Amino acid sequence: MLLELEDVTKSYATGEGRLEVLRGVNLALGEGESVALTGESGSGKSTLLHLAGALDRPDSGRIAVGGREISGLADAELAQVRRETVGLVFQQFNLIPSLDVAANLAFQARIAGRHDANWMQRLAERLGLDKLMSRYPEQLSGGQQQRVAIGRALAARPRLILADEPTGNLDEATGDAVLDLMLSLQGETGAALLMVTHSARLAARLGSRLHLQGGRIT
Ligand code: ADP
Ligand code: MG
């Protein structure tokens, strides 16, 4: 299994006391699987994805990423798990404005010590970015920026791809094209994909669907 959550709980401190967001979440995701995570706004989808991506820690429960238990790891070790195993794609692209497309694409793979020029070139071609390599993020459309963000996430060949409403800021046609690319690259690399979406239509394009409600998967 590339991702396993067992009885995971997570709450936040708020002005009105503790907000229990996840109340015992279980899920398992294996190589090559693609799973959509749906749920109403505020149901805890992003919270779950952050935990799976080793960006935050649960209150209780067990999380294993790439077969490695991460619940008790220190910050530096969590960062290592992220670098080695996880590729993250967010709704807000999060590109680095001062770097051109080529440098944005290579950024995380270089940090991870897994830069591979041939794979980078192939990725750029598959994502239709090969003619845009020396542009800066502000010179790209939303769909182009999100293709860069996907390329950056895949550049280090992560075994687990976590995407949080990756097409949420794109119009429907552009979003569909971006999702097509992400799914075909995920299929090619055999990575596991967990994608948050509030769209039942997009969720139906993935292998299976999980729904988050009342802090649990239903
Ligand atoms: P979703 O992605 O499904 O819309 P989130 O996981 O972002 O939901 O948020 C779940 C709930 O937790 C929401 O009510 C949100 O306001 C709250 N929340 C998220 N992050 C924090 C935080 N850092 N501090 C306090 N409350 C938070
Ligand atoms: Mg969210």
Side-chain angles (χ1 to χ4, degrees):
M1 284 296 145
L2 282 174
L3 176 64
E4 279 181 283
L5 275 71
E6 219 177 88
D7 214 12
V8 166
T9 69
K10 177 71 179 175
S11 61
Y12 296 110
T14 71
E16 302 91 56
R18 287 211 82 80
L19 176 67
E20 312 274 344
V21 178
L22 303 181
R23 299 165 178 262
V25 166
N26 295 288
L27 74 83
L29 187 61
E31 198 177 301
E33 281 189 74
S34 65
V35 172
L37 180 66
T38 57
E40 281 179 16
S41 178
S43 60
K45 303 182 299 296
S46 294
T47 297
L48 195 162
L49 215 73
H50 282 122
L51 295 175
L55 293 165
D56 200 0
R57 291 189 177 80
D59 296 346
S60 67
R62 205 181 69 85
I63 301 178
V65 175
R68 186 169 178 198
E69 169 83 42
I70 64 166
S71 320
L73 295 184
D75 286 350
E77 294 169 312
L78 282 181
Q80 188 190 11
V81 170
R82 274 200 304 275
R83 280 195 305 271
E84 289 180 355
T85 313
V86 183
L88 286 156
V89 184
F90 298 100
Q91 183 174 355
Q92 299 86 353
F93 318 145
N94 294 340
L95 301 178
I96 300 169
S98 59
L99 298 181
D100 67 11
V101 168
N104 264 288
L105 278 175
F107 188 73
Q108 273 158 11
R110 286 191 196 283
I111 288 178
R114 295 153 76 101
H115 180 67
D116 172 343
N118 289 331
W119 170 238
M120 194 68 61
Q121 181 57 34
R122 238 172 65 67
L123 255 185
E125 283 165 16
R126 291 280 282 101
L127 290 164
L129 296 169
D130 45 322
K131 303 272 190 307
L132 303 174
M133 297 296 261
S134 53
R135 289 218 203 160
Y136 287 84
E138 66 183 17
Q139 301 170 319
L140 302 175
S141 70
Q144 290 168 335
Q145 289 187 49
Q146 192 58 309
R147 283 186 272 141
V148 178
I150 289 169
R152 177 183 58 182
L154 291 170
R157 288 183 176 277
R159 289 192 292 149
L160 175 63
I161 305 166
L162 301 172
D164 198 348
E165 306 204 37
T167 63
N169 275 333
L170 305 175
D171 63 74
E172 189 171 298
T174 307
D176 284 357
V178 165
L179 181 60
D180 283 341
L181 279 169
M182 194 166 72
L183 288 175
S184 86
L185 285 166
Q186 179 245 335
E188 260 175 60
T189 60
L193 169 68
L194 181 62
M195 184 182 95
V196 167
T197 178
H198 56 250
S199 159
R201 189 180 66 83
L202 294 181
R205 308 230 4 236
L206 275 67
S208 58
R209 176 174 173 183
L210 299 173
H211 191 69
L212 195 55
Q213 191 172 23
R216 293 195 175 86
I217 303 269
T218 60

